[in-house]
Amino acid sequence: MSLQRFRCDQLPVTPWKNGGGSTREIVCRPEGAGMAGFDWRISIATIAQAGPFSAFPGVDRVIMLLDGGGVQLRSDTGIDYRLDQPLVPFAFSGDVALDCKLLDGTSTDFNVMTRRGSLRAQVQVLRAAVDIPAAQRGLLLALHGDWQLRAGDAAEFCAAGQGLWWDAAPHGWNATPQGANAALVWVRLDTAGV
């Protein structure tokens, strides 16, 4: 499977079993892998009430606030992190059981999970024109404003809330914002150890 387009507002919403929020899954690879078998998974979560984060042993995680007042993340192992600045990635181990407290109402977050030992993720927010080097797998999501994405003679246009992901075929891009205050999240996924 090569290049896939998506719109956040068209992704299915899955309520959490504990009733504390919901998730819109963007991609989970390999295809058909469940929560115990994925190599990488990217989603958007809406947190509506305080409660524990599920632990994912053997998984590395990156979370980033998109909207809302944010959350306070705490663990028995010493993590005490205030996720209240939008578009600032925070990386942590999925092995750790975290307690999540809402700071000011509902919070919406961008989440990247990778299987440790298989893949590692880099998450960056781009705000200006840039050449994105080719990677075997990755994701681009326009968070604010419109973006022109060029790969050779091909061009893709992403308005806010639209994006692309790819797997098993290298893609590199020239990303150009089409106005002021634009923001594009870039997730690069590399084989661990490379």
Side-chain angles (χ1 to χ4, degrees):
M1 185 173 292
S2 185
L3 190 64
Q4 299 293 312
R5 292 185 62 93
F6 66 91
R7 287 180 48 150
C8 293
D9 61 1
Q10 293 180 350
L11 298 171
V13 178
T14 303
W16 296 351
K17 291 179 182 176
N18 66 7
S22 61
T23 298
R24 292 178 185 263
E25 184 177 271
I26 299 172
V27 54
C28 185
R29 302 294 288 165
E31 190 172 359
M35 293 303 287
F38 65 83
D39 286 334
W40 59 286
R41 180 178 187 261
I42 301 177
S43 62
I44 294 172
T46 299
I47 305 171
Q49 64 186 33
F53 266 28
S54 298
F56 289 94
V59 170
D60 291 319
R61 302 186 65 177
V62 180
I63 187 172
M64 182 173 70
L65 178 65
L66 296 179
D67 189 42
V71 295
Q72 185 82 32
L73 301 173
R74 288 194 173 100
S75 75
D76 293 338
T77 59
I79 293 175
D80 189 356
Y81 185 79
R82 191 177 173 93
L83 188 79
D84 61 356
Q85 296 299 311
L87 310 189
V88 178
F90 172 62
F92 62 99
S93 169
D95 299 302
V96 177
L98 289 175
D99 187 61
C100 170
K101 174 186 168 187
L102 292 173
L103 295 174
D104 186 18
T106 300
S107 174
T108 303
D109 306 302
F110 182 77
N111 296 279
V112 178
M113 296 194 288
T114 52
R115 185 76 51 194
R116 192 176 305 127
S118 295
L119 297 171
R120 68 176 191 279
Q122 299 175 59
V123 179
Q124 296 181 45
V125 175
L126 309 175
R127 299 180 186 274
V130 65
D131 286 322
I132 296 172
Q136 189 76 12
R137 58 190 65 82
L139 177 141
L140 295 169
L141 169 59
L143 300 172
H144 302 296
D146 301 332
W147 287 79
Q148 185 80 43
L149 305 172
R150 290 195 167 277
D153 293 334
E156 299 280 349
F157 177 82
C158 288
Q162 299 177 356
L164 311 165
W165 64 264
W166 63 95
D167 188 19
H171 284 81
W173 304 93
N174 172 265
T176 306
Q178 303 299 290
N181 302 316
L184 179 81
V185 64
W186 168 33
V187 181
R188 180 186 174 106
L189 297 136
D190 292 307
T191 302
V194 174

